[in-house]
Amino acid sequence: MKVMQTDCLVIGGGFAGSAYALYAARAGLKVALLSLGGPLEANSDWAQGGIIYDTSPDPELLSRDILEASDGTANPAAVRQLVTEGPVAVRELLLDELDVEFDREEDGQLQLTREGGHSARRIIHARDRTGHAILSAVANRVASTAGIQRHTGAVAIDLLTLSHNNENPEDRYAPLTCFGAYALLEGSSEPVAIVAKKTVLACGGLGQIFQHSTNHPGIVGHGVAMAYRVGARLIDLEYVQFHPTVFYGKNAPRFLITEALRGEGAVLVNVDGKPFMDKVHQRGSLAPRDIVSRAIHDEMATSGEPCVYLDLTGLDRTRLPDRFPTVYQSCLNHGVDITREPIPVVPAAHYSCGGVHTDLEGRSNIRHLGAIGETACTGLHGANRLASTSLLECLTGAKFTARADARDIDSMDFRLPGPRAWQSPPEEADPTLVYQDLNLVQQTMWNYAGIVRSPRRLTRARRILLELREEIQSFYRDCRVTRELVELRNAVQTALLVVHAASLNPHSKGAHYIIDE
Ligand code: SIN
């Protein structure tokens, strides 16, 4: 087995992972950066709305909005870090250094929009392609930075720990310590071991364990599942946020319809064209996401219709193609001209508020294993995330974690062991079974552990998933490892973890809504 060695192994090449790589390399560390697809194939690239840039004299207002969206459950220390350090990081890296092309007013000032749960306009954006504008700028800088070795098309299989993957018997009794990961690199069917002083999980969320999701294909909680298998502390996994507005068409794929449209005046209406959010919350269509998603769910259940609509009559429709080109073109491709008609929408799984528990410098409970971005949970979002905090969290998390790692690695007395060799079984996995099993995970999660949960539904989900996990484990033992198999194994594990967390929490709060049926 081939063994590679580096200072930091970053698993995930979205905004969090790429920004971390940049900060760490600049601090003198050697970085291996693995991404599932190309440099832009990540959830961050699909982020439409924007990133908070709050330079108002009273940051308390933003703190209050984050806490209110979280239903009072967010971690105040994490909120404080984001609110005070976020604007500094945006200015330094995105504005001053990379000069990301955010939209500006005629006088050159940054244009500000708002989204659900925000009491003020404080979100900067690059039309409705904010994530793409940011990630391309960062990925370009990564490509020209010495010290970063990028591996595209790479999937991490399992984390290496002293107790699990090392021949030295004494290490079995040492504190849990991570020293890298096994991975499948592009073009090879034989796993390699990447041995590292620090391993950082930046694998994004878990939206694709649900049948309907805004996430990139393959985003099934890789970080959470790998961390779980080596004993990391996971937290808040029941809080899966559903985005209220995803395009609905009978034979069309689901894609995000940015909340910024509602920030600019779009209103949710039912099939009769009647607004229904004003009776639910004082902010109407701009209420926090959990509340809007549930209201849509209820409206659909009452009307028996497969969707509700986003009415755009309050906006200057002639400006829509220019301000929201992604939404405009994607809807047009599926027969809806948003300059003339409302958009049919439904909710879909969007963001995991929980994840691998870390401190504010990305450290997990396992030595030398960190997590950042959506994979991590500092408690910033509590039970429900405020819109446009995620890109900002990626940035501040990356900066603070890389800075701490540069310090920690410098003073680290750590002997990197040789890992156990990987044993490859000869059999090939049957792709039809792999595909069907993933479908079953996704349907089970959508139907029994989605927007509205109940103890009975969760019990049903658990039973199905436990049986499925048995099947998949035996597959995994007997077959040659492939990306699809890794994905399936992690999907079923993550799904079980979400169901388990949801079953243990009988209290409806934020994105976790449980009825007694
Ligand atoms: C959106 O544009 O509605 C998504 C932004 C986010 O999830 O913060």
Side-chain angles (χ1 to χ4, degrees):
M1 183 184 58
K2 186 172 168 193
V3 180
M4 295 153 74
Q5 193 158 327
T6 185
D7 292 330
C8 300
L9 169 62
V10 187
I11 304 177
F15 183 32
S18 299
Y20 173 92
L22 208 53
Y23 285 120
R26 286 174 177 180
L29 301 174
K30 216 169 101 187
V31 181
L33 176 61
L34 310 191
S35 49
L36 278 176
L40 300 182
E41 285 177 60
N43 277 347
S44 335
D45 188 67
W46 285 1
Q48 295 182 357
I51 179 168
I52 294 172
Y53 183 49
D54 188 281
T55 54
S56 68
D58 184 11
E60 268 317 295
L61 225 53
L62 173 56
S63 302
R64 236 179 290 146
D65 286 352
I66 295 175
L67 281 162
E68 193 187 315
S70 77
D71 214 352
T73 58
N75 172 5
V79 176
R80 205 169 314 118
Q81 184 192 51
L82 187 93
V83 164
T84 54
E85 298 295 341
V88 182
V90 170
R91 195 183 57 246
E92 280 172 1
L93 186 68
L94 302 186
L95 296 171
D96 292 351
E97 183 185 333
L98 298 178
D99 198 14
V100 175
E101 284 193 18
F102 293 111
D103 294 341
R104 292 184 182 265
E105 304 288 357
E106 273 171 14
D107 63 1
Q109 296 290 322
L110 287 162
Q111 233 176 53
L112 299 174
T113 189
R114 62 191 288 193
E115 291 182 47
H118 284 269
S119 60
R121 286 184 171 264
R122 54 165 84 98
I123 299 167
I124 56 175
H125 50 86
R127 303 198 186 177
D128 60 359
R129 299 172 178 151
T130 311
H132 178 73
I134 292 176
L135 188 59
S136 348
V138 175
N140 279 340
R141 190 50 56 96
V142 163
S144 61
T145 301
I148 304 175
Q149 188 171 23
R150 177 155 217 153
H151 300 272
T152 53
V155 58
I157 304 169
D158 261 323
L159 296 169
L160 296 164
T161 71
L162 290 184
S163 14
H164 298 86
N165 310 95
N166 174 22
E167 305 288 359
N168 183 354
E170 268 174 44
D171 283 340
R172 274 171 62 82
Y173 305 102
L176 281 171
T177 306
C178 180
F179 68 101
Y182 291 118
L184 263 182
L185 300 185
E186 192 158 46
S188 167
S189 57
E190 275 307 308
V192 297
I194 307 178
V195 169
K197 294 177 184 162
K198 176 78 196 259
T199 304
V200 179
L201 297 169
C203 317
L206 47 77
Q208 285 288 351
I209 63 171
F210 291 88
Q211 191 179 4
H212 303 297
S213 163
T214 61
N215 288 198
H216 248 278
I219 303 299
V220 292
H222 288 288
V224 162
M226 283 190 284
Y228 168 77
R229 287 196 287 271
V230 296
R233 180 181 179 204
L234 305 170
I235 187 168
D236 287 354
L237 282 177
E238 67 272 40
Y239 300 122
V240 177
Q241 180 175 73
F242 289 79
H243 196 288
T245 57
V246 167
F247 184 84
Y248 172 79
K250 239 190 181 155
N251 296 314
R254 306 272 157 108
F255 53 85
L256 186 66
I257 303 293
T258 178
E259 201 163 273
L261 273 162
R262 277 177 282 137
E264 298 299 330
V267 171
L268 284 160
V269 297
N270 63 18
V271 65
D272 302 318
K274 297 223 165 52
F276 56 87
M277 279 308 301
D278 288 341
K279 59 178 191 289
V280 179
H281 193 272
Q282 73 272 19
R283 288 201 179 137
S285 291
L286 275 178
R289 279 185 189 161
D290 56 328
I291 294 168
V292 184
S293 291
R294 266 194 308 276
I296 295 176
H297 181 273
D298 291 350
E299 186 62 42
M300 283 160 54
T302 313
S303 68
E305 294 293 324
C307 63
V308 296
Y309 295 87
L310 197 55
D311 181 347
L312 307 171
T313 33
L315 282 81
D316 177 355
R317 292 186 174 216
T318 57
R319 284 195 56 232
L320 290 175
D322 181 50
R323 169 67 179 87
F324 297 101
T326 308
V327 172
Y328 171 70
Q329 198 51 56
S330 311
C331 289
L332 204 56
N333 292 346
H334 294 94
V336 175
D337 180 352
I338 70 168
T339 64
R340 293 163 191 276
E341 51 196 321
I343 310 176
V345 290
V346 287
H350 184 56
Y351 190 89
S352 172
C353 299
V356 179
H357 178 259
T358 68
D359 65 13
L360 299 184
E361 293 181 326
R363 294 183 198 88
S364 75
N365 63 315
I366 298 196
R367 297 170 69 216
H368 307 178
L369 176 67
I372 50 174
E374 191 173 345
T375 307
C377 179
T378 59
L380 171 67
H381 310 299
N384 180 52
R385 179 175 70 89
L386 179 71
S388 280
T389 47
S390 56
L391 292 173
L392 191 59
E393 184 188 26
C394 289
L395 182 61
T396 44
K399 179 178 169 182
F400 277 79
T401 304
R403 207 161 72 178
D405 287 350
R407 242 180 10 240
D408 291 353
I409 284 178
D410 221 23
S411 58
M412 202 185 265
D413 172 23
F414 185 36
R415 170 187 53 86
L416 286 173
R420 234 177 229 144
W422 183 273
Q423 306 294 341
S424 274
E427 217 178 295
E428 300 290 335
D430 177 346
T432 306
L433 293 182
V434 172
Y435 176 78
Q436 284 307 337
D437 282 355
L438 186 60
N439 263 342
L440 186 52
V441 171
Q442 292 169 329
Q443 279 170 21
T444 303
M445 291 304 286
W446 185 257
N447 292 327
Y448 303 133
I451 298 173
V452 177
R453 300 160 173 170
S454 74
R456 207 185 287 273
R457 291 177 199 173
L458 291 170
T459 304
R460 172 82 63 92
R462 196 174 150 80
R463 213 176 296 140
I464 296 170
L465 293 169
L466 278 172
E467 199 178 315
L468 203 51
R469 187 176 64 177
E470 280 301 303
E471 288 284 327
I472 294 167
Q473 289 293 19
S474 75
F475 238 177
Y476 184 77
R477 267 192 310 271
D478 298 342
C479 299
R480 178 180 286 277
V481 69
T482 60
R483 176 191 169 134
E484 291 73 20
L485 206 48
V486 170
E487 193 174 304
L488 179 62
R489 177 183 182 229
N490 288 342
V492 73
Q493 185 57 68
T494 307
L496 267 165
L497 290 165
V498 171
V499 166
H500 184 64
S503 313
L504 289 180
N505 185 350
H507 307 292
S508 291
K509 198 75 164 150
H512 173 58
Y513 188 72
I514 186 151
I515 54 171
D516 193 18
E517 250 173 33

